[in-house]
Amino acid sequence: MESGIDVILDKWELKEGHDSIAFMEKMVTDPTIAKVAVISDRKYAEKADGRVSGVGTETQIISREVYEKQDQNKFVAVLPERDEEGKPYLPTYYKGRIYIDLSSPENYASEFERLVRWVFDKPLHVKPEVGKPPTFLDEEPAKSLGTSVSFRRALDALKNGRPFVEGAVDEYLTTFAENMERFRITLDNSKEADEQVADSIDEFTPYKNEFVQVMLAIAQYAANDDMQKKLHRFFEQLLPYLDRPENMSSQHSWDFDNFKFIVHELYLYAIAILIRYERFAFSDRLLATPYYVSSNANRGRDATATFSEFREYMESFQGRDKKLGRLSSRADLLKQRADSSGFDFKWLLQADFVLYLRATLNDDYYVRWWPETLVYATRSYGPMEIFARSRSASYYREVSKILGGVSAEDLKAHVKELQTDQQELPKWQFERIAPGVLTGIDKLASTP
């Protein structure tokens, strides 16, 4: 009544001398009676099924109305209680129909709202009008990596510690790597190559975002040796996409530029996420373990490669830089994609810088890493977060693992050497990075 509903209740309406059967029939047949709520507790359900007393008569009236008329929205059972097993007390004629459950104090408010909405024919969930078919149905079907099911299974397994987590992650990574071939592009000479490459990279975005979510879950819940091995094998499977396939007799130098960007981005995210969650030993194993190169005949080098293979030059974007007037359109695209994904770009910067330092600490001439994103760090005035924290010697001992275990003193000497050789420092026109600033070298490991 307080909710604006005029209630006709037998205790209020039936007086001495009134015909109870006529009253019950009126509740069913009177067009002014919009709704009938059947308060079905244990006694009511028993009397209804046994056709006992007034409830039995009422049941005969209602059940005929319920079964003979298509519009069954006039009646609803309301439960004030359940049996010892938690089952509802409902008369046989009503079973299988939806009811309103006021038996639980925890759900009373929401169920009472359902009751009021039922009376006023204002359901909470309203079927929307049928709109026009979306325009994308008329477009060419988008490429699919085919990872949707394995992605959800892997993510659930990682977050909830399922016993099949290793198999689920392995299935996802294997499907991902094998189906990358679907994104191989055949350049159209009538269109600008860099635009075709950029379009392919954009089309791959949902799968990059899937990988980021799986990588975040691995870093948080399963940063163990088995996961490191699975990730290592995964990146090994991606290396062949950076080369000409054996069945391809000719190529343009930019035919694989979309793969060069995608593989580089995935590797950068993997290291960035591991740094974000301080999985330094895990990162070190990923960087230190050689990668088997199955397409080594094309490379003409050893059968194994280092992490530096995951960043390769993109010829098509050299022209894009000139066209857009940018120092690095590749770095711009990496930043835009990070910003739109919700993952803080600063971690990609730190990963790129760490990879650059680790490569320059290596004596092997072929181990080189161009820190693409650091064009955004050329005007930094303070150390990156992991190096700011490395003011503590104990913290630096952990960070040093991702740098190959180099001591603080050796890193200081190395950074000073980098800064004295300006020609070797990464630069974009007149912009250069300052390794001493980015590492906070003067205060590195200066406190316990």
Side-chain angles (χ1 to χ4, degrees):
M1 294 287 284
E2 290 174 354
S3 297
I5 301 169
D6 184 14
V7 177
I8 299 174
L9 184 65
D10 54 1
K11 291 180 181 180
W12 298 342
E13 306 295 335
L14 276 176
K15 307 297 182 184
E16 289 75 6
H18 287 184
D19 187 335
S20 60
I21 295 177
F23 174 82
M24 288 183 277
E25 289 179 343
K26 180 181 179 181
M27 298 305 101
V28 174
T29 60
D30 191 334
T32 65
I33 306 298
K35 305 286 183 180
V36 178
V38 180
I39 313 303
S40 186
D41 57 9
R42 180 177 61 81
K43 289 185 178 180
Y44 180 89
E46 290 174 352
K47 289 181 178 181
D49 288 342
R51 296 294 195 266
V52 177
S53 66
V55 172
T57 304
E58 177 183 286
T59 299
Q60 290 178 317
I61 298 168
I62 294 177
S63 59
R64 186 172 63 253
E65 181 74 11
V66 167
Y67 287 122
E68 291 180 359
K69 290 196 174 182
Q70 292 183 354
D71 183 8
Q72 301 172 1
N73 194 41
K74 184 171 183 176
F75 301 91
V76 75
V78 178
L79 299 187
E81 62 179 346
R82 290 174 174 267
D83 67 15
E84 294 80 2
E85 297 179 356
K87 297 179 180 179
Y89 285 117
L90 289 171
T92 301
Y93 76 84
Y94 196 87
K95 288 179 179 177
R97 292 163 56 84
I98 295 173
Y99 54 84
I100 292 172
D101 187 1
L102 298 182
S103 66
S104 169
E106 293 83 1
N107 300 323
Y108 188 94
S110 60
E111 289 292 293
F112 183 77
E113 179 184 340
R114 284 183 62 210
L115 178 60
V116 173
R117 285 181 174 278
W118 169 75
V119 172
F120 285 106
D121 289 320
K122 296 289 185 181
L124 182 61
H125 304 289
V126 180
K127 184 178 181 178
E129 294 183 4
V130 177
K132 296 180 179 179
T135 56
F136 65 73
L137 293 176
D138 299 324
E139 300 172 355
E140 289 295 321
K143 296 185 182 73
S144 170
L145 202 59
T147 53
S148 297
V149 174
S150 60
F151 160 69
R152 288 192 291 270
R153 179 177 165 85
L155 202 61
D156 169 72
L158 285 163
K159 290 185 175 181
N160 296 297
R162 307 293 189 195
F164 53 83
V165 62
E166 291 184 14
V169 172
D170 192 58
E171 178 188 16
Y172 165 72
L173 293 176
T174 300
T175 303
F176 190 114
E178 290 179 351
N179 291 346
M180 280 272 287
E181 183 63 32
R182 298 177 183 180
F183 283 82
R184 188 175 297 281
I185 57 176
T186 301
L187 294 178
D188 183 345
N189 293 330
S190 66
K191 301 177 183 178
E192 293 183 276
D194 68 298
E195 293 297 339
Q196 295 177 67
V197 170
D199 288 344
S200 176
I201 293 167
D202 182 62
E203 194 174 21
F204 194 80
T205 301
Y207 306 106
K208 181 269 290 184
N209 291 339
E210 278 185 0
F211 176 77
V212 169
Q213 290 187 60
V214 169
M215 195 65 225
L216 285 166
I218 289 173
Q220 292 178 79
Y221 306 110
N224 53 49
D225 288 346
D226 287 333
M227 285 300 164
Q228 181 270 320
K229 291 174 184 176
K230 292 184 187 303
L231 278 174
H232 189 273
R233 295 293 187 272
F234 167 70
F235 282 111
E236 278 186 340
Q237 289 178 281
L238 298 188
L239 278 174
Y241 290 106
L242 305 179
D243 286 317
R244 174 175 58 85
E246 293 181 3
N247 60 355
M248 184 180 290
S249 58
S250 61
Q251 68 180 73
H252 291 294
S253 56
W254 52 78
D255 276 348
F256 322 118
D257 276 6
N258 64 326
F259 286 145
K260 289 177 181 178
F261 183 97
I262 289 168
V263 172
H264 169 237
E265 184 181 43
L266 293 175
Y267 197 80
L268 197 58
Y269 268 99
I271 301 303
I273 290 168
L274 293 172
I275 290 175
R276 162 69 178 81
Y277 288 97
E278 300 180 328
R279 307 300 190 184
F280 302 123
F282 188 112
S283 305
D284 174 56
R285 292 193 297 273
L286 203 59
L287 295 174
T289 308
Y291 293 87
Y292 172 68
V293 184
S294 59
S295 58
N296 126 60
N298 293 328
R299 291 171 178 269
R301 295 208 297 272
D302 293 337
T304 59
T306 69
F307 68 87
S308 64
E309 297 289 339
F310 293 104
R311 189 275 168 193
E312 289 201 2
Y313 173 68
M314 292 172 61
E315 184 176 346
S316 64
F317 270 35
Q318 182 180 19
R320 191 174 181 83
D321 293 345
K322 294 177 181 178
K323 181 174 68 176
L324 300 179
R326 301 296 297 171
L327 295 177
S328 174
S329 52
R330 185 172 181 175
D332 293 342
L333 190 53
L334 285 165
K335 185 176 188 305
Q336 291 165 14
R337 288 163 65 79
D339 292 343
S340 63
S341 72
F343 186 77
D344 198 329
F345 182 62
K346 75 175 184 179
W347 297 110
L348 293 184
L349 289 173
Q350 292 180 80
D352 228 357
F353 185 51
V354 164
L355 291 167
Y356 163 72
L357 285 178
R358 179 146 183 161
T360 57
L361 284 163
N362 196 301
D363 293 332
D364 188 341
Y365 172 79
Y366 289 105
V367 181
R368 292 289 182 268
W369 184 273
W370 178 263
E372 200 73 55
T373 64
L374 294 193
V375 65
Y376 285 96
T378 56
R379 300 187 182 184
S380 296
Y381 299 102
M384 292 180 165
E385 183 173 330
I386 60 168
F387 291 107
R389 294 181 183 279
S390 292
R391 183 174 182 177
S392 161
S394 60
Y395 190 87
Y396 177 73
R397 281 194 292 273
E398 294 300 310
V399 170
S400 69
K401 294 174 183 177
I402 201 173
L403 295 172
V406 64
S407 69
E409 292 306 313
D410 286 345
L411 181 61
K412 289 178 182 180
H414 179 69
V415 168
K416 288 178 180 177
E417 183 179 345
L418 287 174
Q419 294 190 139
T420 57
D421 190 353
Q422 293 289 306
Q423 295 301 315
E424 291 298 318
L425 280 180
K427 64 179 180 179
W428 297 262
Q429 294 183 12
F430 300 107
E431 302 287 346
R432 285 187 175 89
I433 64 169
V437 173
L438 298 178
T439 54
I441 204 68
D442 292 337
K443 295 181 179 180
L444 192 72
S446 61
T447 67

